[in-house]
Amino acid sequence: MKSNPPVQHKVIKNLIEAHSWLGLIISPLLFLVFWAGAVTLFHDEVAQWAITPHHPVDNTQVDIPLATLVEQKLAEYPVDYNGRFRINMPTELVPYYIFYLDVIGAQSPSDSHSMAILVDPKSGDTVAGKDDFYLSQFIYHLHYNLDLPGGSYLIGMVALIFLFALVSGIFIHARKLLKHFFLYRVDKQRRDKLLDLHTVVGVMTIPFTLMYALSGLILNLAIVFQLAFVVFIYQGDRQALFNDAGFNRTTELRSETPLDMDNAFNLIEQTQQKPNFELRNIIFHHYGAENALVQVRGTDTASFAQRDEVTYRVQDGSVINKVNADNYNVFRQGRDVLVSLHFSNFAGVDIRILYFILAMAISAMIVAGNMLWLDKRRVQRQSSPRSIAIVTGMTIGGCGGIIVATAVGFLCERLLPATLYGRSEWLVGCFVASLLAVMLCSLKVNDIKRHISKLLLLTSSILIITIVADWLLFPEQILALWQNGYHGVIGVQIGMGLMVAVCIFTAVKLTTTNQTARLENAITVN
């Protein structure tokens, strides 16, 4: 039996209204997530750009043996040996060891805290704390938890609402999906252009956005499923859940009998020599004790999203646990696949550039959707001028402010002294202050296009200053890094230059369109 047309129209109308309101509510956060996610795709390149000019690595020198470095760092810091510590290996982009240590506080042994340091593999020097150059980490945190406690749950809810908006958008445009697939009316009024931009980008990026919405939802709200499983299936036994999920944890107490750790580094070397294995990090449990364990983790370069991991008992070299293509856990393998798809770390820079372009297109779609809402409310006069001003401030100020604040973040990362106390807090403070300033300036805007043009030109100016500052402060270091094979610094500069070109082009285009519209209105009035 067919539904009555009036009922269908009512359902579609309600769906459109829900789609509009939900999109409006989450649009600033959603824009932030996609914008920060796009920059995070080049997380390691940004980290190299930030750190290596201050602390260049001389590739002409030989690496210090890892065993020597470990003993040296354990002697330098009051490490809590009852727990574990991790070492991330140097990579082509971030050429430092990263030591994650639990350090005993000065007041009492129970007052311990975690710390992370960057260690030069050639000299053995501690060049900086991991968070001293915080920009790449900060943008990554913005992507998945807004750099706030509990923010991952909020982003998970945003991903859930975004998933509903995607599904509802597909239903809304289902009938015209094929007919108007590539429709873009360049010779029509402004609302038609915005609607076509919003629809075409939304349709073309459906596979990408669905993947991001689903993977983001699962990764951010995994704790909700864990709690449900712990309570109802595992009867409160959280460790049993972790074991079944492939995340085995050592629960035995540290032995009082000491043990020489040379065999641990022999086991690491043997594992590193295996074919199709790229060493990522090492975890020591009860270092220097008779029951010490070493966990060697890496990537299977011959398989997609396959992590290889083996845990040895140092004393006799016996294997305690192993994860590879032949011994995998379904839950953990699924999570690794989602992470690889989400961050595009399964291929080269070309895929990351494609992801970046798609993320930027979705960011533009979000702004276009909000502009459509504003146009509709202005025509219908259903909302007060104050509410329209607030929404304009959220849309133009929030989205435009995030772009400006990101440029300010890059400038601060370059200009703030490397030895400045609380350097990361200064960077975050400048980012937030820039965002709030743009939002406040956007509350009373009469000419939106002109305001957007100013924000884009401001962003371009800040990025140009950043590039100039690079070459004024570190000309010799940048050239030496390029010659040594570290191309990330100049690569990030090229990215900033392309962003400057896009911002200037868009600003000029908006200004020209605005002037043409004003001229046409003046002719019509006369």
Side-chain angles (χ1 to χ4, degrees):
M1 183 176 179
K2 295 183 178 180
S3 302
N4 293 326
V7 176
Q8 291 180 346
H9 292 325
K10 186 175 182 181
V11 170
I12 294 296
K13 182 179 179 181
N14 291 336
L15 195 60
I16 293 174
E17 195 68 19
H19 179 87
S20 301
W21 276 105
L22 287 174
L24 179 69
I25 292 170
I26 67 169
S27 60
L29 285 178
L30 195 59
F31 182 92
L32 174 59
V33 168
F34 273 99
W35 176 266
V39 180
T40 298
L41 292 169
F42 300 94
H43 174 278
D44 288 351
E45 284 85 354
V46 173
Q48 184 186 127
W49 169 82
I51 304 170
T52 53
H54 290 276
H55 307 286
V57 175
D58 186 0
N59 280 340
T60 60
Q61 298 182 12
V62 180
D63 285 1
I64 295 176
L66 181 59
T68 305
L69 275 181
V70 170
E71 295 295 337
Q72 178 182 331
K73 295 307 159 186
L74 293 181
E76 289 181 14
Y77 300 96
V79 177
D80 183 2
Y81 288 92
N82 290 317
R84 64 177 194 168
F85 68 90
R86 188 180 86 198
I87 304 172
N88 284 6
M89 307 303 290
T91 65
E92 293 181 359
L93 293 174
V94 183
Y96 312 99
Y97 287 104
I98 306 178
F99 281 66
Y100 295 87
L101 307 171
D102 288 333
V103 179
I104 299 174
Q107 302 299 325
S108 66
S110 60
D111 182 25
S112 62
H113 63 277
S114 299
M115 65 177 295
I117 55 174
L118 302 176
V119 178
D120 190 322
K122 312 295 183 180
S123 66
D125 296 333
T126 300
V127 299
K130 182 174 179 290
D131 290 337
D132 289 346
F133 297 91
Y134 191 54
L135 179 63
S136 58
Q137 281 293 103
F138 174 63
I139 295 176
Y140 172 54
H141 291 162
L142 286 178
H143 174 65
Y144 82 91
N145 69 359
L146 303 178
D147 203 36
L148 296 173
S152 59
Y153 305 128
L154 176 59
I155 296 300
M157 295 305 299
V158 169
L160 180 61
I161 297 172
F162 180 51
L163 181 60
F164 172 81
L166 282 175
V167 175
S168 62
I170 293 172
F171 276 105
I172 290 169
H173 298 287
R175 291 181 298 175
K176 299 179 180 179
L177 200 59
L178 296 177
K179 182 180 178 181
H180 294 167
F181 192 77
F182 291 106
L183 179 64
Y184 188 75
R185 293 163 287 197
V186 296
D187 57 343
K188 298 294 182 180
Q189 58 181 334
R190 173 176 175 271
R191 177 174 173 80
D192 289 335
K193 294 178 182 179
L194 287 174
L195 181 59
D196 290 342
L197 172 65
H198 185 78
T199 305
V200 169
V201 172
V203 172
M204 295 292 290
T205 59
I206 282 176
F208 179 76
T209 50
L210 280 175
M211 180 275 293
Y212 254 103
L214 286 171
S215 59
L217 175 63
I218 293 171
L219 294 174
N220 282 78
L221 293 183
I223 186 65
V224 176
F225 306 118
Q226 291 177 12
L227 291 174
F229 289 152
V230 168
V231 173
F232 296 106
I233 299 178
Y234 289 87
Q235 305 299 316
D237 190 348
R238 188 178 180 185
Q239 186 59 45
L241 170 64
F242 284 136
N243 291 338
D244 287 347
F247 298 97
N248 298 310
R249 295 188 176 185
T250 302
T251 57
E252 61 181 338
L253 298 176
R254 179 182 174 84
S255 172
E256 296 298 329
T257 306
L259 177 71
D260 183 82
M261 294 295 291
D262 287 344
N263 192 42
F265 297 98
N266 293 333
L267 293 169
I268 294 169
E269 184 66 25
Q270 292 173 14
T271 307
Q272 195 171 5
Q273 298 304 319
K274 292 182 178 180
N276 302 322
F277 178 79
E278 182 180 356
L279 181 61
R280 293 292 187 180
N281 56 60
I282 304 158
I283 300 177
F284 290 101
H285 301 263
H286 304 314
Y287 187 91
E290 185 181 33
N291 60 341
L293 304 175
V294 59
Q295 192 174 2
V296 186
R297 305 197 298 183
T299 302
D300 184 347
T301 57
S303 304
F304 175 75
Q306 177 61 55
R307 186 189 315 187
D308 278 9
E309 181 179 305
V310 58
T311 303
Y312 299 101
R313 189 170 293 281
V314 176
Q315 187 177 34
D316 55 11
S318 59
V319 176
I320 303 299
N321 185 55
K322 180 184 286 187
V323 176
N324 56 27
D326 299 321
N327 303 276
Y328 67 91
N329 179 276
V330 175
F331 174 86
R332 194 164 178 181
Q333 179 70 15
R335 183 183 181 278
D336 289 342
V337 169
L338 286 177
V339 171
S340 295
L341 288 173
H342 196 84
F343 292 103
S344 73
N345 57 9
F346 57 89
V349 68
D350 50 349
I351 296 297
R352 287 189 286 148
I353 291 174
L354 176 61
Y355 268 47
F356 181 87
I357 294 171
L358 289 171
M360 291 292 103
I362 294 169
S363 300
M365 180 189 72
I366 294 168
V367 176
N370 273 28
M371 298 305 296
L372 286 170
W373 187 93
L374 288 170
D375 286 349
K376 182 179 179 180
R377 289 301 183 272
R378 286 195 183 98
V379 172
Q380 295 178 347
R381 302 183 184 277
Q382 293 179 349
S383 303
S384 65
R386 178 177 295 181
S387 64
I388 292 178
I390 293 174
V391 174
T392 303
M394 289 173 55
T395 301
I396 306 302
C399 300
I402 290 166
I403 298 173
V404 173
T406 303
V408 170
F410 273 85
L411 181 61
C412 291
E413 185 76 306
R414 179 51 72 225
L415 294 183
L416 289 176
T419 57
L420 178 66
Y421 179 77
R423 191 176 189 273
S424 60
E425 286 80 6
W426 278 98
L427 187 145
V428 174
C430 291
F431 183 96
V432 174
S434 303
L435 174 59
L436 293 177
V438 173
M439 290 183 69
L440 289 175
C441 293
S442 303
L443 289 177
K444 294 183 178 180
V445 175
N446 295 323
D447 192 334
I448 294 178
K449 289 185 179 180
R450 184 180 180 186
H451 185 67
I452 294 175
S453 299
K454 289 181 178 179
L455 293 180
L456 292 175
L457 291 175
L458 175 61
T459 302
S460 301
S461 302
I462 296 171
L463 291 178
I464 290 172
I465 294 172
T466 305
I467 296 172
V468 172
D470 268 354
W471 288 100
L472 289 177
L473 295 173
F474 305 105
E476 297 178 0
Q477 292 90 333
I478 292 173
L479 292 175
L481 287 166
W482 178 270
Q483 293 172 356
N484 285 329
Y486 298 114
H487 301 152
V489 177
I490 293 181
V492 170
Q493 291 176 352
I494 292 173
M496 287 191 285
L498 291 174
M499 186 60 65
V500 167
V502 170
C503 288
I504 292 177
F505 174 80
T506 307
V508 171
K509 195 74 174 177
L510 287 173
T511 302
T512 304
T513 305
N514 205 22
Q515 291 174 350
T516 303
R518 285 183 177 180
L519 182 61
E520 290 178 352
N521 290 335
I523 294 173
T524 303
V525 171
N526 294 332

